[in-house]
Amino acid sequence: MRILVATNVGGLDDNVSMVFARAPTFTIIEAEGNEIKSVNVMQNQFANAVHGAGIQVGQFIASQGINVAIAGNFGPNVSSILAQYGIQMISAQGKVRDVVENFLKGELATTMPSQLPPSPPPPAPPMQPMSPQLPPSPNIEERIKMLEEQIARIEDLVEDVKKALKELKEE
Protein backbone atom coordinates (compact mmCIF):
# COMPACT_ATOMS: atom_id res chain seq x y z
CA MET A 1 0.00 0.00 0.00
CA ARG A 2 1.27 3.46 -0.90
CA ILE A 3 0.27 6.25 1.48
CA LEU A 4 0.95 9.90 0.68
CA VAL A 5 0.91 12.41 3.56
CA ALA A 6 0.93 16.18 2.99
CA THR A 7 3.76 17.53 5.14
CA ASN A 8 5.65 20.72 5.88
CA VAL A 9 9.25 19.45 5.80
CA GLY A 10 8.64 15.71 5.37
CA GLY A 11 9.32 12.50 7.22
CA LEU A 12 7.66 10.48 9.95
CA ASP A 13 8.50 13.02 12.67
CA ASP A 14 6.90 15.96 10.82
CA ASN A 15 3.31 17.06 11.38
CA VAL A 16 0.54 16.44 8.85
CA SER A 17 0.00 19.64 6.83
CA MET A 18 -3.36 21.36 7.27
CA VAL A 19 -3.51 21.89 3.48
CA PHE A 20 -3.09 19.27 0.81
CA ALA A 21 -2.50 20.66 -2.68
CA ARG A 22 -0.25 23.48 -1.45
CA ALA A 23 1.67 21.51 1.18
CA PRO A 24 5.42 22.12 0.77
CA THR A 25 6.31 18.40 0.76
CA PHE A 26 4.76 14.96 0.46
CA THR A 27 5.88 12.02 2.55
CA ILE A 28 5.28 8.76 0.69
CA ILE A 29 5.08 5.65 2.82
CA GLU A 30 5.15 2.06 1.61
CA ALA A 31 3.32 -0.20 4.06
CA GLU A 32 2.55 -3.90 4.29
CA GLY A 33 -0.13 -4.88 6.73
CA ASN A 34 0.43 -2.71 9.82
CA GLU A 35 4.13 -2.20 9.12
CA ILE A 36 5.85 0.80 7.55
CA LYS A 37 8.39 -0.56 5.04
CA SER A 38 9.87 2.63 3.54
CA VAL A 39 9.57 6.41 3.68
CA ASN A 40 10.43 8.93 0.95
CA VAL A 41 10.03 12.70 0.95
CA MET A 42 9.45 14.75 -2.19
CA GLN A 43 8.95 18.45 -2.79
CA ASN A 44 5.48 19.47 -3.97
CA GLN A 45 6.28 21.04 -7.32
CA PHE A 46 2.76 22.53 -7.49
CA ALA A 47 2.71 24.20 -4.05
CA ASN A 48 3.28 27.68 -5.49
CA ALA A 49 1.13 27.35 -8.61
CA VAL A 50 -0.74 30.56 -9.40
CA HIS A 51 -3.91 28.55 -9.90
CA GLY A 52 -4.94 24.94 -10.49
CA ALA A 53 -2.73 23.41 -7.80
CA GLY A 54 -5.44 20.96 -6.72
CA ILE A 55 -5.96 19.63 -10.22
CA GLN A 56 -2.26 19.35 -10.94
CA VAL A 57 -1.49 17.64 -7.62
CA GLY A 58 -4.42 15.25 -8.04
CA GLN A 59 -3.24 14.18 -11.49
CA PHE A 60 0.34 13.81 -10.29
CA ILE A 61 -0.66 11.70 -7.28
CA ALA A 62 -2.84 9.45 -9.41
CA SER A 63 0.18 8.83 -11.66
CA GLN A 64 2.22 7.68 -8.64
CA GLY A 65 0.03 4.70 -7.73
CA ILE A 66 -1.01 6.18 -4.38
CA ASN A 67 -3.77 4.30 -2.51
CA VAL A 68 -4.35 6.70 0.40
CA ALA A 69 -3.85 10.46 0.81
CA ILE A 70 -3.69 12.09 4.25
CA ALA A 71 -3.90 15.82 5.10
CA GLY A 72 -5.70 18.20 7.41
CA ASN A 73 -8.06 19.31 4.62
CA PHE A 74 -8.70 18.55 0.95
CA GLY A 75 -9.97 21.16 -1.49
CA PRO A 76 -12.81 20.41 -3.90
CA ASN A 77 -10.64 20.14 -7.03
CA VAL A 78 -8.15 17.66 -5.63
CA SER A 79 -10.95 15.75 -3.87
CA SER A 80 -12.76 15.29 -7.15
CA ILE A 81 -9.68 13.93 -8.92
CA LEU A 82 -8.62 11.65 -6.07
CA ALA A 83 -12.17 10.26 -5.86
CA GLN A 84 -12.16 9.58 -9.61
CA TYR A 85 -9.07 7.42 -9.16
CA GLY A 86 -10.41 5.71 -6.05
CA ILE A 87 -7.75 7.17 -3.78
CA GLN A 88 -8.90 7.24 -0.15
CA MET A 89 -8.75 10.63 1.55
CA ILE A 90 -8.11 10.81 5.28
CA SER A 91 -8.41 14.09 7.20
CA ALA A 92 -6.14 13.95 10.22
CA GLN A 93 -3.83 16.03 12.38
CA GLY A 94 -0.73 15.18 14.36
CA LYS A 95 2.63 13.53 13.81
CA VAL A 96 2.90 11.66 10.52
CA ARG A 97 4.09 8.46 12.23
CA ASP A 98 1.14 8.44 14.68
CA VAL A 99 -1.45 9.21 12.02
CA VAL A 100 -0.14 6.53 9.62
CA GLU A 101 0.07 3.92 12.37
CA ASN A 102 -3.50 4.75 13.44
CA PHE A 103 -4.66 4.44 9.83
CA LEU A 104 -2.91 1.08 9.42
CA LYS A 105 -4.66 -0.15 12.58
CA GLY A 106 -8.01 0.87 11.05
CA GLU A 107 -8.58 3.68 13.56
CA LEU A 108 -9.09 6.50 11.00
CA ALA A 109 -12.12 6.92 8.76
CA THR A 110 -12.02 7.87 5.10
CA THR A 111 -13.16 11.43 4.40
CA MET A 112 -15.30 11.93 1.35
CA PRO A 113 -16.47 15.30 0.06
CA SER A 114 -20.24 15.63 0.40
CA GLN A 115 -20.80 16.36 -3.30
CA LEU A 116 -19.03 13.21 -4.48
CA PRO A 117 -20.21 9.61 -4.31
CA PRO A 118 -18.12 7.47 -1.95
CA SER A 119 -15.28 5.58 -3.57
CA PRO A 120 -15.13 1.82 -3.12
CA PRO A 121 -13.32 0.58 0.00
CA PRO A 122 -9.89 -1.05 -0.25
CA PRO A 123 -8.48 -3.02 -1.95
CA ALA A 124 -7.83 -0.51 -4.69
CA PRO A 125 -10.76 0.00 -7.06
CA PRO A 126 -10.51 -0.69 -10.79
CA MET A 127 -9.80 2.96 -11.68
CA GLN A 128 -6.52 2.95 -9.78
CA PRO A 129 -3.65 3.82 -12.12
CA MET A 130 -2.12 0.74 -13.68
CA SER A 131 1.29 2.34 -14.14
CA PRO A 132 3.30 4.31 -11.62
CA GLN A 133 4.38 6.57 -14.49
CA LEU A 134 1.10 7.93 -15.93
CA PRO A 135 -2.60 7.69 -15.12
CA PRO A 136 -4.34 4.99 -17.13
CA SER A 137 -5.38 5.98 -20.62
CA PRO A 138 -6.94 3.83 -23.31
CA ASN A 139 -4.25 4.73 -25.84
CA ILE A 140 -1.04 6.61 -26.37
CA GLU A 141 -2.71 9.39 -28.38
CA GLU A 142 -4.85 10.37 -25.40
CA ARG A 143 -1.80 10.35 -23.10
CA ILE A 144 0.07 12.57 -25.55
CA LYS A 145 -2.90 14.95 -25.72
CA MET A 146 -3.10 15.07 -21.90
CA LEU A 147 0.60 15.91 -21.62
CA GLU A 148 0.34 18.57 -24.32
CA GLU A 149 -2.60 20.13 -22.44
CA GLN A 150 -0.54 20.14 -19.25
CA ILE A 151 2.28 21.93 -21.07
CA ALA A 152 -0.19 24.53 -22.36
CA ARG A 153 -1.54 25.10 -18.83
CA ILE A 154 1.98 25.48 -17.47
CA GLU A 155 2.89 27.92 -20.23
CA ASP A 156 -0.25 29.95 -19.41
CA LEU A 157 0.74 29.97 -15.74
CA VAL A 158 4.23 31.19 -16.60
CA GLU A 159 2.77 34.01 -18.70
CA ASP A 160 0.44 35.00 -15.82
CA VAL A 161 3.37 35.09 -13.42
CA LYS A 162 5.46 37.16 -15.84
CA LYS A 163 2.60 39.62 -16.30
CA ALA A 164 2.05 39.97 -12.55
CA LEU A 165 5.78 40.47 -11.99
CA LYS A 166 5.94 43.13 -14.70
CA GLU A 167 2.95 44.96 -13.17
CA LEU A 168 4.60 44.93 -9.75
CA LYS A 169 7.84 46.31 -11.14
CA GLU A 170 5.95 49.14 -12.86
CA GLU A 171 4.28 50.26 -9.62
Side-chain angles (χ1 to χ4, degrees):
M1 171 182 297
R2 287 176 59 88
I3 303 167
L4 182 139
V5 183
T7 49
N8 298 308
V9 292
L12 294 176
D13 294 324
D14 192 9
N15 286 317
V16 175
S17 173
M18 287 306 299
V19 295
F20 186 74
R22 295 194 182 272
T25 59
F26 294 123
T27 299
I28 299 176
I29 298 157
E30 297 277 347
E32 282 183 27
N34 290 345
E35 186 178 342
I36 295 172
K37 293 292 187 178
S38 69
V39 178
N40 293 302
V41 176
M42 65 185 319
Q43 295 296 312
N44 177 1
Q45 61 190 355
F46 308 107
N48 296 318
V50 176
H51 50 76
I55 293 169
Q56 294 174 64
V57 167
Q59 291 171 339
F60 174 75
I61 289 169
S63 76
Q64 299 300 303
I66 300 298
N67 306 102
V68 179
I70 299 174
N73 295 295
F74 294 87
N77 290 337
V78 76
S79 294
S80 175
I81 291 172
L82 296 181
Q84 287 174 13
Y85 284 96
I87 297 170
Q88 292 181 33
M89 291 168 273
I90 307 292
S91 287
Q93 297 177 12
K95 291 281 185 202
V96 172
R97 180 185 316 273
D98 297 337
V99 169
V100 170
E101 287 175 352
N102 288 340
F103 169 75
L104 293 173
K105 292 176 193 173
E107 296 174 2
L108 297 178
T110 300
T111 301
M112 295 304 302
S114 59
Q115 74 271 22
L116 297 173
S119 64
M127 290 195 67
Q128 178 182 0
M130 304 303 281
S131 163
Q133 304 302 317
L134 291 171
S137 293
N139 60 50
I140 195 165
E141 290 83 16
E142 287 186 26
R143 292 193 327 214
I144 290 170
K145 183 179 177 185
M146 180 187 74
L147 292 172
E148 288 172 341
E149 289 172 357
Q150 286 179 337
I151 289 171
R153 283 195 304 269
I154 291 169
E155 288 172 344
D156 288 344
L157 288 173
V158 169
E159 288 305 313
D160 290 345
V161 170
K162 286 180 180 178
K163 182 180 175 182
L165 185 60
K166 181 179 177 184
E167 289 172 3
L168 285 173
K169 286 181 178 180
E170 290 174 356
E171 287 183 7

